[in-house]
Amino acid sequence: MSLLQVALEPSTLVVAVDPGKVMNRVWVSDGSGLLADPVSLPVSRAGVEGLEQILAGRGEGCAGLVIAVEATGSLHRAWAHELERRHPGGVRLFAPSETKAARIQLGSGRFKTDDRDCAALTYLARQGAGRVLVDELEVEALRAVVRHRRGLVADRKVAQQRLHDQLNNLVPGLSAPAGHAGYGRSLAVEHPSGQAVLACAAAFAGRPPSVRSLLARAPGRLTKADAQYWVERWRGCLSPPHDAERRARRLATDLARYRALCSDIATLEGEIGDLLAGTDGQILTTLPGVAVVRAAAFAAHSLPIDRFPDADHLYSTTGLAPALYQSATLHRRGRISRQGLAEHRDALMAIAWGLSVFSPSFAQRDREYRARGMKPIQARVALARHACRLAYRILKTQQPFDEEAYRRGRHSRGR
């Protein structure tokens, strides 16, 4: 049994920390109760020094020191890392969901205060729960990069929409979506053709360029036939508006910002690859359709895998598991719970999509689900459960994925 599952000795000193943006609420107690009045300390060096003064002289005769910290986004990191440096191996991390569950057990589930959270953290620490911070340093670094990339990708999506809107106002109809009558294909901003069109629109204030100008401004491979297509389509558009020069300057600025975003994302993806290689999550890249980015997005919120007793617990954490109600003879299933982090849920759904496209076994499952009348999103949620079980087993065993072995195991179980 892990040491973190063994209840603490009554004389163990427990420090419960409920992080905040400016102040952290702190309780210091042992088996007999509080050793000092609850106090709020600033998130600074002075706050840590204040905590050290409270602990000074109280460690004599105690069985050890455990610092229970609620892992709330990034608010806990400053204190957690500093306290781990001062008290190696003493910091334990708890998810907000664990704190909430403990509050419910203590009879205050609907009344959340900093002091009630500290009481819940103390209760959990006394039971021996929690995760050791030192075991999660590599995963935390990976999680930080994954989250930063997710934010930049969201910004890039907004930037793409803004570029389409600006181009449509500058050259009406040029960036029309695919399928619109008379316009043919759509303009992909992220492709060399889209970048070249935007650059020419900014350079010539919406006036049609020549094929040579379009080819010269393409950041990648652009065929002469594609360039000719966009020039001819451009010439069939209406004239630019009266304030075309001003609009072109704004478009040029936004285009430079968009390119900087793409460059930053590419740099982060290289960093993600290096960090993923140092964790157990690297093994997920052996799954068909799961490359570095998808593997890192799921591993960042699933590692260390030992904190989940089985695959069903991991699946429930993503929020894709259906709500379940059982009482005597009543058995009811509801919609997916949507508990946990949306980014964790999105990462598992992305893995399920990749497997449904590149893995024959999962592609067959997908066809079977759709043949039953499931909608595409319903089929993907159903596939996500199997993908979660597979990812859990791979993370636990650290054995690469074998398509043939998986297919044989599925048929031997009658699935």
Side-chain angles (χ1 to χ4, degrees), residues 127-318:
Q127 291 181 326
R131 310 190 307 272
V132 182
L133 173 63
V134 70
D135 293 342
E136 298 194 13
L137 293 179
E138 292 182 348
V139 178
E140 185 177 332
L142 176 64
R143 190 180 301 126
V145 180
V146 167
R147 281 178 167 166
H148 189 65
R149 179 190 174 275
R150 180 182 172 90
L152 292 186
V153 169
D155 293 341
R156 183 178 63 182
K157 183 177 181 180
V158 174
Q160 287 178 343
Q161 294 171 340
R162 185 181 297 114
L163 289 173
H164 275 294
D165 179 65
Q166 289 176 293
L167 182 61
N168 189 58
N169 289 324
L170 193 60
V171 188
L174 187 60
S175 66
H180 280 220
Y183 288 107
R185 60 179 127 158
S186 62
L187 182 68
V189 170
E190 65 276 11
H191 293 169
S193 58
Q195 293 286 296
V197 167
L198 289 168
C200 286
F204 301 112
R207 297 186 299 274
S210 64
V211 173
R212 181 178 177 182
S213 296
L214 208 61
L215 291 172
R217 287 172 172 79
R221 183 176 180 275
L222 177 63
T223 64
K224 189 173 182 180
D226 282 342
Q228 185 66 43
Y229 169 82
W230 287 110
V231 169
E232 292 178 358
R233 177 165 158 177
W234 201 323
R235 289 171 179 168
C237 295
L238 296 175
S239 301
H242 66 283
D243 58 344
E245 294 293 339
R246 297 177 183 273
R247 292 179 181 272
R249 286 196 296 269
R250 293 195 293 269
L251 177 60
T253 302
D254 284 349
L255 180 59
R257 188 178 297 112
Y258 174 80
R259 289 175 173 173
L261 272 175
C262 293
S263 176
D264 291 344
I265 291 173
T267 301
L268 286 177
E269 289 176 353
E271 189 176 346
I272 286 173
D274 296 338
L275 291 172
L276 181 66
T279 68
D280 291 342
Q282 177 67 27
I283 197 67
L284 291 176
T285 57
T286 63
L287 293 172
V290 181
V292 170
V293 172
R294 285 178 184 163
F298 186 71
H301 303 287
S302 303
L303 295 177
I305 197 63
D306 291 336
R307 61 195 176 102
F308 300 103
D310 52 45
D312 288 337
H313 279 77
L314 175 59
Y315 185 62
S316 179
T317 302
T318 65

Side-chain angles (χ1 to χ4, degrees), residues 56-108:
R58 300 185 185 276
E60 300 177 0
C62 68
L65 173 65
V66 172
I67 304 173
V69 183
E70 187 180 47
T72 54
S74 61
L75 298 179
H76 69 285
R77 289 175 187 160
W79 262 42
H81 284 258
E82 179 63 20
L83 291 174
E84 178 65 28
R85 186 183 67 82
R86 296 182 182 225
H87 306 279
V91 176
R92 305 287 188 268
L93 299 180
F94 297 87
S97 58
E98 294 177 288
T99 308
K100 181 179 180 180
R103 284 204 324 271
I104 294 174
Q105 291 182 355
L106 295 174
S108 58

Side-chain angles (χ1 to χ4, degrees), residues 104-119:
I104 294 174
Q105 291 182 355
L106 295 174
S108 58
R110 298 181 62 186
F111 303 95
K112 184 188 183 307
T113 65
D114 292 344
D115 284 330
R116 292 177 188 269
D117 282 344
C118 286

